[in-house]
């Protein structure tokens, strides 16, 4: 999936520094649960999480956080913390001790929000999907309306998940407006920046996440836009100590209270896991090796052009370009070739993308994903996030769609 013509889902290429760090991590084969077994990695995690919180904009990088097995799990952690913050008794007494909780997220949000609600016993029916505008951004007025509606029914709104970089459109929910509503109704605000969180590193695009510093928690996956090899996802939390209180079980064979070192370095009891993989070293090393090159790149007004011309730029592409492409069969739109590719979406076309994709996979020349969304029939979801991809590769894909669909 590192191939520049592989556009299926979020291909981010293969980063050599990341790969080297991954090898070293596997060679060490250690475990993040206690400081005594992974002192260096635990310290690197500590400094990196602090740095990420500074970048979010929390004063002096204060707060908490953890690297988890992915954005889906980070989002579930956030929901768990929000529930514990409001009803700490849930840890011992379970869901029967709390009123009916409801969470809110946009209709374009990632499915992991519902999955988390199912896993935590909140239930998918308690996740209320808020309308998005035509660009895929959550409509704050609809959020407020649905919060009031839920309260009227006697439900307790406890969690709002705004998305920074939605999975299909790459849209950024309006965080400031959403945070005002969360504050007004005293609801935990989470920002799912699994995809778009990396834009916090870009002086040019950071504004898309304006208001992120008002969130109670943020998911940020360096394994997506920053090309860190899987897996590397962080959950950042504004309140210190909450994760520990929420998740700790004091296992006395691991977390002895009379160790000779500062016990706050034993981060394992904050996690839902027992053993925890070392995900930090790849990010830390790439950060050290590339951050200057990266920042130079991201601050350059010509970033996209530089990226597409200079395939040696090995850090992340900062912009998710989503082309919604639909190939129209000849008889429907007998226009010049390109006109038939990027155009309106009609119901007659829903079979086209699957057939072209099947042929694509048979030939093995390129790969791109397709899907329907709302009232739109199957379209190619084209995400360019591999720094190795060039304009030629994108032209190739378009020509290949033409070629494979010529007889449809
Ligand atoms: C990819 C993604 C996730 C899930 O992240 P994983 O690391 O694949 O678990 C969650 N939310 C958004 C917005 C995403 O793009
Ligand atoms: C941007 O591109 C233009 C045209 O190629 C070039 O003249 C200019 O120097 C570039 N700017 C930067 C900051 O690289």
């Amino acid at each position: 999936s590192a191939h520049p013509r592989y556009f299926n889902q979020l291909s981010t290429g293969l980063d050599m520094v990341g790969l080297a760090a991954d090898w070293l991590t596997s060679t060490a084969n250690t475990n993040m649960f206690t400081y005594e077994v992974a002192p260096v990695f635990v310290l690197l995690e500590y400094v990196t999480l602090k740095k990420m919180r500074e970048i979010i904009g929390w004063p002096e990088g204060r707060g908490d956080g953890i690297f988890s097995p992915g954005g889906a799990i980070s989002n579930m952690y956030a929901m768990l913390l929000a529930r514990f913050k409001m009803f700490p008794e849930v840890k011992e007494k379970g869901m029967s001790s709390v009123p009916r909780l409801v969470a809110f997220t946009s209709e374009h949000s990632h499915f992991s929000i519902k999955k988390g609600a199912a896993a935590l016993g909140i239930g998918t029916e308690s996740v209320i999907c808020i309308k998005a505008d035509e660009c895929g951004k959550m409509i704050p007025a609809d959020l407020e309306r649905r919060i009031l509606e839920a309260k009227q029914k006697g439900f307790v709104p406890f969690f709002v998940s705004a998305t920074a970089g939605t999975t299909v459109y790459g849209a950024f929910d309006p965080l400031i407006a959403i945070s005002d509503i969360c504050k007004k109704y005293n609801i935990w605000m989470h920002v799912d920046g699994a995809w778009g969180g990396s834009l916090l590193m870009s002086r040019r695009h950071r504004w898309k996440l304006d208001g992120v510093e008002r969130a109670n928690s943020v998911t940020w996956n360096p394994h997506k836009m920053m090309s860190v090899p899987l897996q590397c996802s962080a959950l950042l939390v504004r309140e210190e100590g909450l994760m520990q209180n929420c998740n700790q079980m004091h296992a006395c064979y691991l977390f002895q209270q009379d160790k000779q070192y500062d016990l706050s370095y034993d981060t394992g009891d904050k996690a839902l896991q027992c053993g925890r993989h070392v995900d930090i070293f790849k990010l830390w090393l790439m950060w050290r090796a590339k951050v200057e090159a990266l920042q130079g790149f991201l601050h350059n007004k010509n970033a996209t052009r530089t990226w597409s011309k200079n395939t040696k730029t090995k850090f992340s592409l900062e912009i998710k370009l989503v082309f919604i492409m639909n190939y129209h069969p000849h008889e429907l739109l007998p226009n010049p070739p390109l006109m038939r590719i990027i155009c309106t979406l009609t119901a007659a076309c829903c079979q086209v993308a699957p057939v072209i994709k099947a042929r694509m996979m048979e030939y093995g020349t390129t790969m791109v994903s397709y899907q329907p969304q709302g009232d739109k029939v199957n379209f190619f979801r084209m995400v360019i996030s591999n720094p190795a991809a060039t304009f030629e590769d994108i032209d190739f894909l378009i020509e290949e769609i033409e070629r494979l669909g010529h007889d449809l």
Side-chain angles (χ1 to χ4, degrees):
S1 72
H3 195 282
R5 287 182 182 170
Y6 179 90
F7 296 105
N8 224 49
Q9 277 83 46
L10 309 172
S11 164
T12 52
L14 178 62
D15 183 274
M16 289 306 147
V17 174
L19 178 65
D22 211 358
W23 282 342
L24 188 139
T25 301
S26 304
T27 309
N29 191 27
T30 188
N31 195 319
M32 292 297 283
F33 52 23
T34 58
Y35 175 74
E36 67 197 53
V37 301
V40 174
F41 294 140
V42 165
L43 292 178
L44 295 183
E45 187 177 73
Y46 179 85
V47 295
T48 309
L49 287 170
K50 184 163 190 282
K51 186 85 202 159
M52 291 170 96
R53 291 190 299 262
E54 275 168 18
I55 290 171
I56 286 172
W58 291 333
E60 292 146 46
R62 279 200 303 273
D64 208 341
I66 201 158
F67 280 85
S68 89
I73 305 296
S74 294
N75 287 341
M76 194 178 82
Y77 266 114
M79 196 179 270
L80 181 68
L81 291 173
R83 183 177 65 179
F84 178 77
K85 172 79 182 165
M86 202 174 258
F87 297 102
E89 63 272 27
V90 75
K91 181 174 175 182
E92 281 93 24
K93 308 271 181 251
M95 282 301 278
S96 58
S97 67
V98 300
R100 166 94 183 258
L101 302 177
V102 281
F104 303 82
T105 191
S106 102
E107 55 184 342
H108 280 247
S109 68
H110 192 263
F111 66 83
S112 55
I113 303 298
K114 282 194 172 162
K115 213 172 249 230
L120 297 177
I122 290 161
T124 55
E125 282 180 8
S126 298
V127 178
I128 297 176
C129 288
I130 306 303
K131 281 205 192 75
D133 65 17
E134 70 279 7
C135 300
K137 294 169 190 274
M138 189 197 288
I139 299 171
D142 195 50
L143 172 64
E144 183 157 19
R145 186 177 71 78
R146 300 302 296 270
I147 290 172
L148 289 169
E149 202 178 271
K151 283 166 93 82
Q152 252 160 27
K153 290 185 188 152
F155 303 157
V156 177
F158 80 111
F159 184 76
V160 170
S161 179
T163 313
T166 61
T167 312
V168 180
Y169 284 8
F172 289 76
D173 287 345
L175 302 184
I176 291 176
I178 292 170
S179 78
D180 286 342
I181 295 170
C182 289
K183 195 163 172 213
K184 183 166 166 192
Y185 297 99
N186 192 25
I187 305 173
W188 182 285
M189 177 182 173
H190 174 63
V191 172
D192 177 4
W195 168 254
S198 299
L199 290 189
L200 290 168
M201 305 280 287
S202 162
R203 222 179 269 167
R204 186 165 169 225
H205 292 286
R206 198 197 144 91
W207 62 270
K208 295 190 171 86
L209 288 105
D210 276 355
V212 67
E213 71 287 350
R214 302 188 188 185
N216 297 92
S217 55
V218 178
T219 292
W220 174 355
N221 279 10
H223 73 217
K224 286 189 169 170
M225 214 186 291
M226 286 163 77
S227 298
V228 176
L230 264 175
Q231 61 189 43
C232 190
S233 168
L235 177 76
L236 294 315
V237 184
R238 196 168 63 191
E239 182 173 331
E240 267 169 289
L242 193 64
M243 272 193 120
Q244 188 79 17
N245 291 338
C246 179
N247 294 330
Q248 70 184 351
M249 293 293 155
H250 306 287
C252 59
Y253 75 99
L254 266 181
F255 308 113
Q256 300 87 343
Q257 294 304 296
D258 44 9
K259 292 182 182 179
Q260 83 278 24
Y261 57 81
D262 178 350
L263 295 174
S264 69
Y265 290 117
D266 277 355
T267 52
D269 220 8
K270 283 185 207 175
L272 288 174
Q273 302 169 263
C274 170
R276 194 158 59 88
H277 189 256
V278 177
D279 299 329
I280 184 57
F281 189 60
K282 296 168 294 194
L283 173 61
W284 182 83
L285 196 66
M286 285 175 70
W287 202 312
R288 287 302 296 246
K290 290 159 192 286
V291 84
E292 279 180 15
L294 168 75
Q295 283 179 343
F297 166 63
L298 293 179
H299 298 165
N300 187 338
K301 287 230 165 71
N302 295 339
T304 22
R305 198 177 324 156
T306 317
W307 160 73
S308 53
K309 282 213 175 124
N310 178 8
T311 55
K312 288 205 178 76
T313 306
K314 287 288 193 220
F315 217 104
S316 69
L317 167 66
E318 47 170 340
I319 301 164
K320 175 182 184 178
L321 301 169
V322 183
F323 297 140
I324 297 184
M325 299 199 301
N326 213 349
Y327 182 84
H328 279 238
H330 290 253
E331 64 274 18
L332 289 180
L333 202 73
N335 276 328
L338 257 173
M339 287 299 296
R340 284 190 286 113
I341 292 182
I342 301 166
C343 51
T344 54
L345 308 152
T346 63
C349 294
C350 68
Q351 311 280 326
V352 175
V355 171
I356 294 179
K357 164 125 186 196
R359 292 178 181 180
M360 219 176 245
M361 290 176 70
E362 245 169 71
Y363 280 95
T365 46
T366 185
M367 204 160 143
V368 63
S369 58
Y370 69 82
Q371 65 164 93
Q373 168 89 40
D375 58 353
K376 297 180 179 63
V377 300
N378 279 324
F379 55 83
F380 291 112
R381 172 181 168 236
M382 177 72 195
V383 183
I384 306 166
S385 54
N386 182 348
T390 63
F391 276 139
E392 284 79 66
D393 296 318
I394 294 157
D395 289 344
F396 175 85
L397 178 86
I398 292 172
E399 283 156 21
E400 195 65 356
I401 290 173
E402 266 292 305
R403 187 176 76 83
L404 297 169
H406 73 278
D407 62 336
L408 294 175

